[in-house]
Amino acid sequence: MSQPTGGIKTVQAASTAQFIDSIGVGSHFGAGYSSTPYRKQTAQLIQLLINSGIRHIRDGGTYHDGDYRTMASAGIHVTFVTDPKVAIIPTPDYWCNKNGYKTCILLADYLKGLGPGIVDSVEGLNEINASYPGIKWHAALNDPVTNAPDSPNYWVKYAISYTGDTCNVLRHDPTLSSVKCLAPSLSGATSVLFPQSEFYGTVDYGALHPYPYGGNNHGTPVVAYDGVPDYFRWTTDPDINIDEYPWWIERMAAYVRSPDGLHDPIIATETGYYTGSATLSIPEDVQGKYVPRLFAEYFRHGFDRSFWYELVDEAAHPLSTEANYGLLRNDLTPKPGYLALQSLIALLRDSSTSAPSSAGSLAYGLSVDENGAFTHTQYVHDLLLQKGNGVFYLLLWHEISDVATRTNQGQLRSTDQELYPPALNTTIKLPPNILTATLYKYDSQWQLRPTALSIQSHALKVAAADTISVIELRS
């Protein structure tokens, strides 16, 4: 799906439909949040979700099933997060907080009552390393889950049991067998990981939360680049944790890797950045650059789906980190990230009625020029996609950080310091059958606008900037 710098090579494309299907967003429609737009402006927010082109949400809770059905009617599917603290359990053996219900709610009963085609996957126990306090294990014993490794109620043991029983419920019920089962997630701050291969063959997907906003301090070397003395630790580009030093894939995903290296697929069920003015927040224009790049990076690194956290700011409190992760502001006006992603999805959406079962391939090559101190030409990344009508779409960008989280004087106490990395001039060598090329670049309103490109001697010259460009290639 991408071409390393060098000579011409044949690259297998992915379909544009597959890429769009990899895009999701976290939400809180079903989990209460009564003081937020999820409940105060539900209808308007659902319409903005539909208008975005995003067709997957990650949500949980059982309070507002009608909203799930409304979204499903527009083709939006739910990755459903189960939580015994809000009444959902896989089998009657487990404790739950009834949360106002007369009894605990069995997962299978809930999904069948909700209706088919709404939930396409189930994720149990969100960040269980941090959320286990308050959970008890057995219904009959009322015994708390603990943080003591020697305890039979250690949270790791509980998560293994709960996940196994959740997957069994889904797989052994013919009406639910198409619903995928995800491994439990852990927060990035955890010092305890599940054993390698623990969930390999048990789950359909691993579930990771590789937030990039804090940089990568997992064994990364001290390297000065992009005007930053310690690039990997002090910067936040979307692939900072998954590309050159992919700790999140190598370590956190090891629980779905077999002893001989085979790997269950992985999903990023949470990732993203927050705006506002708190420490480690990013400017909104940087969010506009990062959102499309994040989804492209995660896709090219093998994540089957990625969920930006989250759809809308929960409150109008700039100093609150939790309140400002949204693609939309608290007043429902779109941030640059929403607009940029909406425009990208609209361009790539495939209206072909005869989409092929798999995309084709294209032989091309990239040659990238250095620009002053910006010598890492390997940071020009690309992603090759194809629509059902045979037209190729080559996404191209300079994968570089647009902010620094600290300076030599120390950690910044408010919004990250914005950087302005240059574009790198790139020559794209094409096969003779590519006859026309159109370049789509973002304008000041975060809309992709077309410009015809001239193909000279079967080559294009473009500038790979820190915003994604899309090159449409027709034969």
Side-chain angles (χ1 to χ4, degrees):
M1 293 182 293
S2 61
Q3 172 69 284
T5 299
I8 292 178
K9 295 181 181 179
T10 299
V11 177
Q12 175 63 50
S15 71
T16 57
Q18 183 183 3
F19 174 64
I20 292 172
D21 192 56
S22 77
I23 296 171
V25 66
S27 60
H28 296 292
F29 289 104
Y33 287 74
S34 60
S35 63
T36 74
Y38 293 109
R39 298 299 354 133
K40 286 187 169 183
Q41 297 158 289
T42 305
Q44 301 97 305
L45 191 55
I46 289 175
Q47 190 58 54
L48 284 163
L49 173 63
I50 294 169
N51 294 348
S52 73
I54 299 169
R55 292 298 177 259
H56 293 279
I57 63 169
R58 175 182 181 259
D59 210 305
T62 61
Y63 305 111
H64 302 285
D65 296 352
D67 296 334
Y68 291 158
R69 296 187 183 103
T70 297
M71 289 182 275
S73 69
I76 296 170
H77 302 285
V78 180
T79 290
F80 186 75
V81 183
T82 66
D83 187 346
K85 293 180 182 178
V86 289
I88 295 280
I89 52 175
T91 72
D93 299 326
Y94 287 88
W95 168 91
C96 87
N97 177 352
K98 298 182 180 65
N99 215 45
Y101 294 98
K102 292 182 179 179
T103 62
C104 297
I105 301 172
L106 294 179
L107 175 62
D109 292 343
Y110 175 72
L111 295 179
K112 291 175 185 178
L114 191 60
I118 297 176
V119 171
D120 62 7
S121 57
V122 170
E123 177 186 356
L125 305 175
N126 177 55
E127 297 190 348
I128 183 61
N129 60 298
S131 64
Y132 74 87
I135 296 177
K136 300 173 184 178
W137 190 325
H138 302 95
L141 300 178
N142 231 24
D143 46 340
V145 174
T146 77
N147 194 33
D150 294 335
S151 168
N153 283 23
Y154 185 35
W155 64 262
V156 171
K157 300 171 186 174
Y158 172 79
I160 292 169
S161 174
Y162 186 99
T163 302
D165 286 335
T166 297
C167 294
N168 285 335
V169 164
L170 298 175
R171 289 180 179 151
H172 294 157
D173 190 319
T175 64
L176 301 176
S177 59
S178 65
V179 179
K180 303 303 182 183
C181 186
L182 276 60
S185 60
L186 299 173
S187 71
T190 185
S191 60
V192 178
L193 303 179
F194 289 109
Q196 179 166 333
S197 308
E198 181 61 56
F199 295 105
Y200 177 76
T202 299
V203 300
D204 297 298
Y205 294 95
L208 306 184
H209 292 179
Y211 285 97
Y213 60 76
N216 185 348
N217 62 358
H218 299 288
T220 49
V222 176
V223 175
Y225 197 69
D226 195 10
V228 180
D230 192 348
Y231 182 77
F232 295 106
R233 292 179 176 86
W234 295 6
T235 66
T236 68
D237 48 300
D239 77 347
I240 196 74
N241 285 317
I242 62 173
D243 188 68
E244 290 179 284
Y245 298 94
W247 181 83
W248 270 96
I249 296 176
E250 292 179 350
R251 293 293 307 279
M252 296 293 276
Y255 70 162
V256 290
R257 185 181 303 125
S258 71
D260 55 358
L262 298 176
H263 211 296
D264 283 330
I266 51 177
I267 292 176
T269 54
E270 286 185 24
T271 187
Y273 304 80
Y274 50 89
T275 58
S277 54
T279 300
L280 298 180
S281 61
I282 61 171
E284 285 193 355
D285 68 306
V286 172
Q287 189 210 51
K289 297 176 182 181
Y290 277 1
V291 170
R293 281 169 48 188
L294 181 143
F295 285 111
E297 285 292 344
Y298 280 49
F299 188 75
R300 68 190 290 272
H301 280 284
F303 287 80
D304 277 33
R305 186 164 296 137
S306 302
F307 290 86
W308 180 277
Y309 187 84
E310 61 182 310
L311 178 59
V312 64
D313 286 352
E314 295 175 15
H317 300 311
L319 287 172
S320 167
T321 58
E322 191 63 33
N324 291 283
Y325 281 96
L327 294 174
L328 300 164
R329 302 183 188 95
N330 186 252
D331 63 3
L332 302 192
T333 55
K335 296 182 189 178
Y338 174 95
L339 296 171
L341 184 61
Q342 180 188 47
S343 185
L344 181 63
I345 292 173
L347 174 63
L348 298 178
R349 184 177 293 114
D350 195 345
S351 58
S352 172
T353 58
S354 57
S357 56
S358 61
S361 60
L362 183 70
Y364 67 99
L366 302 180
S367 179
V368 183
D369 297 335
E370 298 177 359
N371 188 340
F374 289 82
T375 59
H376 292 190
T377 58
Q378 71 272 24
Y379 286 2
V380 170
H381 291 177
D382 63 303
L383 176 63
L384 182 66
L385 305 173
Q386 187 182 36
K387 287 187 178 180
N389 61 5
V391 177
F392 288 101
Y393 292 82
L394 181 64
L395 279 60
L396 187 76
W397 66 98
H398 186 190
E399 182 56 25
I400 189 76
S401 186
D402 287 293
V403 293
T405 62
R406 60 185 296 140
T407 67
N408 284 328
Q409 284 69 50
Q411 176 73 56
L412 296 170
R413 298 301 179 188
S414 59
T415 304
D416 294 343
Q417 176 181 300
E418 194 157 359
L419 307 172
Y420 299 94
L424 300 184
N425 290 330
T426 302
T427 300
I428 305 173
K429 302 173 186 177
L430 298 168
N433 65 308
I434 297 298
L435 303 178
T436 65
T438 302
L439 174 67
Y440 289 85
K441 294 179 65 176
Y442 284 106
D443 64 13
S444 61
Q445 301 303 308
W446 298 99
Q447 300 300 299
L448 287 165
R449 303 298 185 191
T451 303
L453 289 175
S454 175
I455 301 176
Q456 301 288 337
S457 301
H458 309 302
L460 295 171
K461 292 186 180 294
V462 296
D466 56 352
T467 53
I468 275 184
S469 297
V470 182
I471 304 166
E472 180 185 84
L473 301 170
R474 293 177 179 266
S475 56

